Amino acid sequence: MKIGDTIRRWLEEEGFYVRELKDPKAEFNIEAKHANGLSVNVLKPKGPTEVVLVVSKLIPAGRIREAISVMSARELEWLKDELVLRILSMPEVLAYIDGKLRHIVIQVPVFLEELSKPKIIRGVYSVLKALNVATIVMKRATGGGVNE
């Protein structure tokens, strides 16, 4: 059985709605949607990589996006620092936050030599938790809602 098929089965066993995405840059890319509506992707980049990535992107919308767009450089820097501190304090979680907070990419790498169902599922829940933390931090900082 292929790695992607095994991971898909693990996610289905945990109750996630899963679907395979076409991705020319990945050997496989599986979208896993949680009952709360949030989704993550589990993918293996093409090439000689020895890692599977659990990844998701948060795009501020509605009032949060509007509030961010009028923040001073100092306020924006504070918000980015707060997000980095909160997200990166979580074990194994990495984050990329673009300069103007247009999007936040959160990921957990799982090395193939350590690949197991508990590692993948823990990575999925770590990314989901980081998405929620980022959303709360942005709501508190801007007084808005996400994806409105």
Side-chain angles (χ1 to χ4, degrees):
M1 184 177 273
K2 294 182 179 180
I3 294 171
D5 295 335
T6 301
I7 291 171
R8 181 185 180 99
R9 183 174 42 91
W10 291 342
L11 293 165
E12 288 172 338
E13 288 171 358
E14 293 297 314
F16 287 91
Y17 168 76
V18 290
R19 69 183 178 119
E20 187 76 29
L21 301 176
K22 294 185 187 289
D23 184 347
K25 296 179 183 178
E27 289 183 23
F28 62 84
N29 186 342
I30 303 164
E31 179 184 43
K33 192 168 190 173
H34 190 270
N36 68 8
L38 295 176
S39 63
V40 301
N41 291 66
V42 182
L43 60 97
K44 183 179 183 308
K46 281 187 177 173
T49 61
E50 294 295 317
V51 67
V52 170
L53 299 175
V54 180
V55 64
S56 192
K57 183 189 273 188
L58 178 63
I59 300 172
R63 287 180 282 176
I64 288 179
R65 182 175 48 207
E66 291 168 16
I68 289 171
S69 71
V70 297
M71 283 183 166
S72 68
R74 185 175 177 197
E75 292 169 322
L76 193 59
E77 196 61 36
W78 175 88
L79 180 53
K80 288 190 313 190
D81 288 348
E82 186 68 16
L83 285 163
V84 167
L85 287 171
R86 300 284 182 140
I87 294 169
L88 295 183
S89 68
M90 305 168 92
E92 302 177 343
V93 176
L94 305 172
Y96 168 76
I97 302 170
D98 83 324
K100 298 197 185 271
L101 273 173
R102 290 177 294 240
H103 67 271
I104 301 166
V105 178
I106 300 168
Q107 70 180 25
V108 172
V110 179
F111 294 96
L112 292 180
E113 64 190 28
E114 302 171 345
L115 188 68
S116 66
K117 182 178 178 180
K119 280 264 190 192
I120 290 293
I121 300 305
R122 184 170 56 243
V124 167
Y125 281 110
S126 292
V127 170
L128 290 172
K129 181 178 178 183
L131 287 171
N132 283 320
V133 166
T135 300
I136 291 166
V137 168
M138 288 190 294
K139 278 184 175 181
R140 287 185 177 161
T142 64
V146 173
N147 297 326
E148 295 176 337

